[in-house]
Amino acid sequence: MSAWSVLGSLEAVPALDRPDLLGEPVAHALKLLDPADAALVGVAEIDPGLADTAAFCEAYGSPLDGSANCVVVAGRRGEETRYAACLVLATTRADVNGLVRKRLNARKASFAPMDDAVARSCMEYGGITPIGLPEDWPVLVDAAVAAAPAVVIGSGVRHSKLALPGELTTRLQNAEVLEALGKRTTEP
């Protein structure tokens, strides 16, 4: 399970062995995955106060360039609002006003307000993950995430993190890989 070493000093176990460490929609979605894929997902318990990426990486020795952030974007055109999740490396920012706006066929796109993202995803803020999102949301995966040997992502709750091969993110429900979705912000 070398993909789980991206969790740094944390001890990981198969995610389905610890449903208490998963948000309900995440646990449900993992059960629906091909069993071989589900077995690739590890979970580790963390201090919920350290759920934010920078704090998590510093506290547990996880590489910042091995963490992927999932952000919820709301795109609007007229009275219609469409949602999408963007999965980008923590060293980048999602190209919300370029690629994401165009993909959603929206006039305006922005990060969804926290309360809206939490209510619609049924996940905790700081734990939102691309696994188990609403069926009508596209999951836009940056090509760098897909190519990563392993990534750390949220688990639906703030008191744990998931680790999995980057390539597995391309097989999630509604996943679409986009080149240059993530724009570099910091050096790893």
Side-chain angles (χ1 to χ4, degrees):
M1 301 298 170
S2 63
W4 299 353
S5 63
V6 75
L7 287 164
S9 63
L10 293 170
E11 201 62 40
V13 297
L16 286 176
D17 288 357
R18 291 292 308 270
D20 59 306
L21 294 179
L22 306 172
E24 187 281 322
V26 177
H28 178 74
L30 285 173
K31 289 176 189 170
L32 297 177
L33 283 180
D34 178 284
D37 284 345
L40 298 173
V41 182
V43 66
E45 189 167 8
I46 66 167
D47 176 338
L50 299 172
D52 294 334
T53 304
F56 167 80
C57 289
E58 184 176 335
Y60 297 108
S62 180
L64 190 60
D65 61 353
S67 289
N69 291 329
C70 182
V71 294
V72 177
V73 175
R76 289 174 286 290
R77 180 173 288 280
E79 297 300 312
E80 184 179 3
T81 301
R82 294 184 193 101
Y83 292 87
C86 300
L87 190 62
V88 297
L89 292 177
T91 54
T92 66
R93 292 184 59 97
D95 184 9
V96 173
N97 288 310
L99 284 176
V100 179
R101 182 183 59 78
K102 289 175 187 166
R103 168 55 186 83
L104 292 175
N105 190 28
R107 186 170 286 276
K108 181 179 182 202
S110 59
F111 296 110
M114 178 182 64
D115 292 345
D116 197 24
V118 167
R120 290 179 182 278
S121 69
C122 298
M123 298 181 199
E124 294 178 7
Y125 182 73
I128 295 175
T129 189
I131 301 171
L133 289 172
E135 291 180 12
D136 60 338
W137 289 14
V139 175
L140 309 177
V141 178
D142 184 65
V145 172
V151 290
V152 174
I153 60 174
S155 62
V157 294
R158 289 183 63 87
H159 63 275
S160 65
K161 292 284 187 182
L162 300 177
L164 63 155
E167 191 273 330
L168 181 54
T169 64
T170 69
R171 296 195 302 273
L172 297 176
Q173 175 180 282
N174 298 330
E176 300 174 28
V177 178
L178 296 178
E179 291 291 333
L181 174 62
K183 301 290 185 188
R184 179 130 333 249
T185 58
T186 60
E187 292 303 315

